Amino acid sequence: MAEKLLEVKNLRTEFKRDKTWVTAVNNVSFSIERGEILGLVGESGCGKSVTSLSVMRLLARNSKISNGEVILNGTDLLKEDKKGMRNIRGREVAMIFQEPMNSLNPCMKIEKQLTEAILLHNDFTKEQAHQRAYDVLKSVGIPEPDMTLKSYPHQLSGGMCQRVMIAMAMSCEPELLIADEPTTALDVTIQAQILELMEEIREKKNTGILMITHDLGVVAEMCSRVVVMYAGRIVEEAPVKELFSAPKHPYTQGLIASVPKLGSGVESLPSIPGSVPDLSVMPKGCKFAPRCKYATDICREKEPELMTVEGIHKCRCHHMNDLGKEA
Ligand SMILES: Nc1ncnc2c1ncn2[C@@H]1O[C@H](COP(=O)(O)OP(=O)(O)OP(=O)(O)O)[C@@H](O)[C@H]1O
Ligand SMILES: [Mg+2]
């Protein structure tokens, strides 16, 4: 079996709100192999960004990782100190953040932002760092890297900023790339180019990618496996084809049913009723039970475990084996 690039085990991340701690990510475990693209999906607020920021150790001040391990290349990142993490970030793991405009420094030219990271991780002269910055911008399809290097972020379009963000993440050739909604803010043609670019990078460098997205179309196209999160937990995990052809969790079924299909002629799509529970008032049993049409007493009483459906397909539902029969 291929060596795991990343292994997240029983991760729990909490936030302090009004003097009490609430759990945003609970007992989350998954792994990524080299060269593999793992999709992470779920509604807004389900804990996707918190999971990725926990891996990067870039959480807000009011947070703590209270349990788990994040093993990258055999090293537990949760045991690293600040200096250790600075060395690992960029070189071994890099992230494309959800809001590119907020993650580029508005007061610094692109050249400085790019070369700073390159100089931190390589024994380069300034000229060599400039050359690497130029090359990496070229490789993400920026037509005039010189002009872009001399620009401030506000002088660039959203699509260009996104490319710069990808260039920055790729500049030190990380083994793991975390892409948090990398294309959500972009129009479809640029979105397609960026996804193609990420696929190219993966092929060339055997990079492992954690692809966080709302867009199940992107998942179907790019990912080999998918993890579905709900209310800070993993509720289903499966190879991509199996997830779309035979989703087991009612939540996953709802997500898939709410995606428009070309030529289906359906005018109004079914949506999942209700909303994600507030972290401070989580229901007792299955966190999805209040929104689930199949929920019974046991669902409201006892939280189901993540159980094996078949092979590497897992699901967290008391009724996963009888749902198909009723429908
Ligand atoms: N700094 C913080 N302090 C308190 N709560 C937080 C903080 N950051 C995130 N949360 C909470 O953690 C939960 C998970 O948030 P997260 O940003 O991971 O969601 P997400 O799945 O990335 O959503 P989206 O799809 O909108 O990006 C939410 O309830 C959110 O309000
Ligand atoms: Mg997010």
Side-chain angles (χ1 to χ4, degrees):
M1 198 162 170
E3 186 208 337
K4 299 265 187 289
L5 172 61
L6 176 76
E7 263 195 286
V8 173
K9 293 185 190 168
N10 308 319
L11 178 71
R12 181 160 70 232
T13 306
E14 300 177 47
F15 289 107
K16 198 167 193 176
R17 274 193 196 162
D18 306 326
K19 295 189 183 151
T20 54
W21 289 92
V22 293
T23 305
V25 165
N26 199 341
N27 206 16
V28 161
S29 303
F30 62 90
S31 65
I32 301 180
E33 284 171 22
R34 282 172 208 286
E36 180 188 36
I37 307 185
L38 176 73
L40 178 55
V41 302
E43 276 165 302
S44 192
C46 69
K48 305 181 298 293
S49 294
V50 172
T51 301
S52 56
L53 292 169
S54 303
V55 172
M56 293 295 286
R57 299 268 313 273
L58 287 173
L59 287 161
R61 274 167 177 257
N62 61 332
S63 66
K64 68 174 178 198
I65 297 177
S66 51
N67 191 42
E69 290 167 84
V70 174
I71 299 168
L72 180 68
N73 275 328
T75 303
D76 186 355
L77 301 189
L78 302 187
K79 298 206 171 99
E80 289 293 315
D81 59 12
K82 278 191 177 157
K83 188 162 171 255
M85 274 316 294
R86 267 201 299 275
N87 280 326
I88 288 168
R89 261 185 240 122
R91 194 168 49 84
E92 286 185 56
V93 52
M95 180 158 169
I96 302 168
F97 294 89
Q98 191 164 6
E99 284 152 37
M101 288 305 195
N102 296 348
S103 33
L104 289 170
N105 183 339
C107 312
M108 218 192 251
K109 286 186 180 165
I110 301 298
E111 165 134 33
K112 186 135 200 277
Q113 304 198 41
L114 266 174
T115 50
E116 264 186 5
I118 294 168
L119 286 168
L120 180 70
H121 295 297
N122 297 280
D123 196 10
F124 278 2
T125 63
K126 269 193 162 172
E127 286 69 37
Q128 285 170 319
H130 171 87
Q131 188 59 45
R132 169 68 75 85
Y134 180 97
D135 291 343
V136 77
L137 286 184
K138 193 105 200 156
S139 78
V140 297
I142 286 180
E144 292 178 86
D146 271 325
M147 213 154 83
T148 303
L149 285 170
K150 289 194 196 105
S151 306
Y152 288 96
H154 73 266
Q155 296 171 309
L156 304 174
S157 68
M160 277 295 174
C161 278
Q162 197 68 353
R163 280 165 192 253
V164 169
M165 284 293 303
I166 296 183
M168 206 177 271
M170 297 314 296
S171 63
C172 298
E173 305 189 343
E175 292 163 75
L176 174 68
L177 177 66
I178 299 178
D180 194 353
E181 303 278 2
T183 58
T184 308
L186 305 175
D187 61 52
V188 278
T189 45
I190 298 176
Q191 179 173 9
Q193 284 172 24
I194 301 239
L195 294 176
E196 211 169 289
L197 174 75
M198 290 175 66
E199 177 58 37
E200 257 174 55
I201 290 167
R202 181 195 69 80
E203 238 169 60
K204 251 190 243 159
K205 316 253 186 220
N206 209 22
T207 316
I209 301 178
L210 177 62
M211 176 72 83
I212 300 175
T213 178
H214 279 101
D215 189 334
L216 292 181
V218 170
V219 170
E221 190 148 319
M222 304 275 294
C223 303
S224 53
R225 277 187 308 128
V226 195
V227 165
V228 183
M229 277 184 84
Y230 185 78
R233 283 120 175 105
I234 292 181
V235 294
E236 188 154 9
E237 180 181 340
V240 72
K241 280 203 184 110
E242 217 169 306
L243 190 93
F244 285 105
S245 63
K248 282 283 176 187
H249 199 286
Y251 178 62
T252 315
Q253 294 173 356
L255 282 183
I256 292 173
S258 60
V259 176
K261 285 175 196 68
L262 270 184
S264 67
V266 175
E267 272 166 23
S268 67
L269 288 162
S271 62
I272 306 170
S275 53
V276 180
D278 188 284
L279 299 183
S280 50
V281 280
M282 280 284 176
K284 187 177 164 204
C286 168
K287 307 306 167 222
F288 187 61
R291 301 173 72 185
C292 182
K293 61 180 173 191
Y294 306 107
T296 57
D297 287 347
I298 186 172
C299 308
R300 289 179 277 270
E301 276 305 309
K302 189 173 174 277
E303 179 159 29
E305 302 280 328
L306 193 61
M307 293 169 284
T308 298
V309 177
E310 201 187 340
I312 58 167
H313 189 167
K314 293 179 199 154
C315 177
R316 189 189 290 280
C317 172
H318 288 302
H319 298 303
M320 66 183 198
N321 290 321
D322 41 69
L323 283 188
K325 291 166 200 152
E326 283 167 36

